[in-house]
Amino acid sequence: MQDISIPFFCFSYFCKNVKNMIVLTGSAGFIASAMLQKLNEVGIRNVIIVDDFTKLTKEPNYINKKFIQKVSRDSFFNWWDQHPDKVSFMIHLGARTDTTEIDENVFDILNLAYSQQIWKRCTQWNIPLIYASSAATYGGGEYGYDDNHEIVNKLQPLNAYGRSKNNFDKWVLKQEKQPPFWAGLKFFNVYGPNEYHKGRMASVIFHAFHQIMETGKVRLFRSHRPDFKDGEQLRDFIYVKDITDVIMFLMNEKPIPGLYNLGTGKARTFKDLAKATFAALDKETVIEFVDTPEDIRDKYQYFTEANMQKLRKVGYNTPFTSLEAGVNDYVRNYLTKGKYL
């Protein structure tokens, strides 16, 4: 498919004749570009995509998908203020996601203040909103992994990224005026196609695949806690295709507004992940353990597992993809072929 974005000179005319547009922020990135593909698959093309489009490594994520127009992240609010009656839904997945970034100001601008501006406009113009929160808000898991609004103010994230996401969640829950529907999705460990550009922040599956292809083995972090054996640290790994399915459900059903966990509800070990990656490549499992880097060692989560009861209770009944099935699809159909979703 070709990019069918409309040239700037005729876009104003087009906007006069098209309503019910969906805005998707972060569209050049991993999860949002997968969401754009999902929208296309169900026949939705009236999408405004928003991001910093200067990073050419992200271009393959969106260039062959269908949308109305690209709008720069920096000029988006100006665009929106000119076309408030044309937007029917906001999917806000854009964010600074680097968990090793220590400059709080970066997160305050991109993750907090920017999101607040989106919330205020959605409230003012009566536009439903889905936004990306994160499981990083749960910190070390001292209060568990329940998407209960009562614990949000108690949470102690382990890094600036997690704090920025939790700060927005806290701000949202204080707002008396709200969009007609809203959902903040606490993404757990997402993996899948379209993360080629993420570098160090790409999923462990992505790195495991490349390590196997280059060296024939996978390096996993050694445990620095006596209650966890090497490679048996646990994460709730969720396939990006499941993420897009849930967002479609929320868009269509608009259940009770609130924060929702988005994992599988079943934690798996990094050993399981490595074995699944080797199996997808039809290779024997070879694992080497290395020390966790000191810059993230004191912020490292040894266990995450989403409590998925809230989402299930509002009617989402679709089974989540197992780790083995998700890794097999990702490796065989995307990574080995250099293919995008």
Side-chain angles (χ1 to χ4, degrees), residues 43-305:
I44 297 174
R45 301 177 181 181
N46 55 323
V47 184
I48 303 298
I49 64 173
V50 179
D51 210 324
D52 174 4
F53 295 105
T54 63
K55 299 179 181 179
L56 298 182
T57 55
K58 295 184 177 182
E59 192 172 80
N61 281 350
Y62 63 88
I63 194 65
N64 291 320
K65 296 177 175 62
K66 294 186 177 181
F67 50 88
I68 292 175
Q69 181 73 9
K70 293 189 300 184
V71 179
S72 168
R73 179 181 68 198
D74 293 337
S75 60
F76 170 57
F77 292 129
N78 180 58
W79 175 91
W80 198 3
D81 290 343
Q82 295 178 36
H83 308 288
D85 60 329
K86 307 300 181 183
V87 178
S88 63
F89 210 105
M90 165 63 67
I91 307 173
H92 176 39
L93 304 181
R96 180 62 177 266
T97 60
D98 188 347
T99 58
T100 64
E101 173 65 65
I102 60 174
D103 187 350
E104 300 268 359
N105 188 56
V106 171
F107 292 109
D108 286 344
I109 294 171
L110 295 179
N111 292 4
L112 182 57
Y114 200 90
S115 298
Q116 289 171 336
Q117 288 298 315
I118 286 176
W119 175 277
K120 291 175 181 178
R121 284 169 170 79
C122 286
T123 299
Q124 179 181 354
W125 294 320
N126 210 39
I127 299 169
L129 166 66
I130 293 174
Y131 73 87
S133 181
S134 172
T137 59
Y138 289 118
E142 300 90 346
Y143 297 96
Y145 297 92
D146 297 333
D147 42 12
N148 183 341
H149 293 180
E150 293 181 1
I151 70 169
V152 172
N153 284 317
K154 301 177 183 178
L155 299 177
Q156 297 293 327
L158 299 175
N159 52 51
Y161 164 70
R163 285 191 291 275
S164 70
K165 288 296 188 178
N166 199 53
N167 285 340
F168 183 61
D169 289 344
K170 289 192 291 186
W171 181 86
V172 161
L173 294 177
K174 293 178 182 177
Q175 304 309 301
E176 294 183 2
K177 295 182 179 180
Q178 302 179 351
F181 167 74
W182 67 272
L185 304 181
K186 295 200 174 200
F187 296 147
F188 278 67
N189 286 69
V190 188
Y191 67 95
N194 296 17
E195 59 172 338
Y196 296 101
H197 65 281
K198 289 180 67 68
R200 182 181 180 183
M201 300 310 299
S203 71
V204 180
I205 295 95
F206 179 89
H207 290 297
F209 167 79
H210 287 285
Q211 289 172 16
I212 294 168
M213 299 303 293
E214 294 170 8
T215 69
K217 59 186 176 183
V218 165
R219 295 187 299 275
L220 296 179
F221 288 154
R222 182 175 289 112
S223 173
H224 296 273
R225 283 176 47 174
D227 51 335
F228 284 86
K229 295 180 180 179
D230 291 343
E232 294 189 5
Q233 302 96 320
L234 293 153
R235 288 285 194 284
D236 193 334
F237 300 102
I238 182 165
Y239 199 25
V240 71
K241 293 182 181 181
D242 289 335
I243 297 282
T244 62
D245 285 346
V246 170
I247 293 176
M248 286 302 306
F249 166 81
L250 293 172
M251 290 179 67
N252 290 328
E253 300 299 325
K254 299 182 183 65
I256 300 170
L259 300 174
Y260 286 89
N261 278 340
L262 193 35
T264 65
K266 183 174 177 59
R268 300 292 301 275
T269 71
F270 283 99
K271 276 187 178 179
D272 291 336
L273 181 153
K275 291 176 181 177
T277 308
F278 278 106
L281 289 167
D282 299 313
K283 294 180 180 292
E284 181 181 352
T285 300
V286 182
I287 299 173
E288 176 184 284
F289 294 103
V290 298
D291 286 341
T292 305
E294 291 189 6
D295 64 333
I296 65 171
R297 192 176 299 179
D298 62 342
K299 304 175 181 67
Y300 187 80
Q301 293 173 305
Y302 276 73
F303 171 81
T304 66
E305 184 177 81

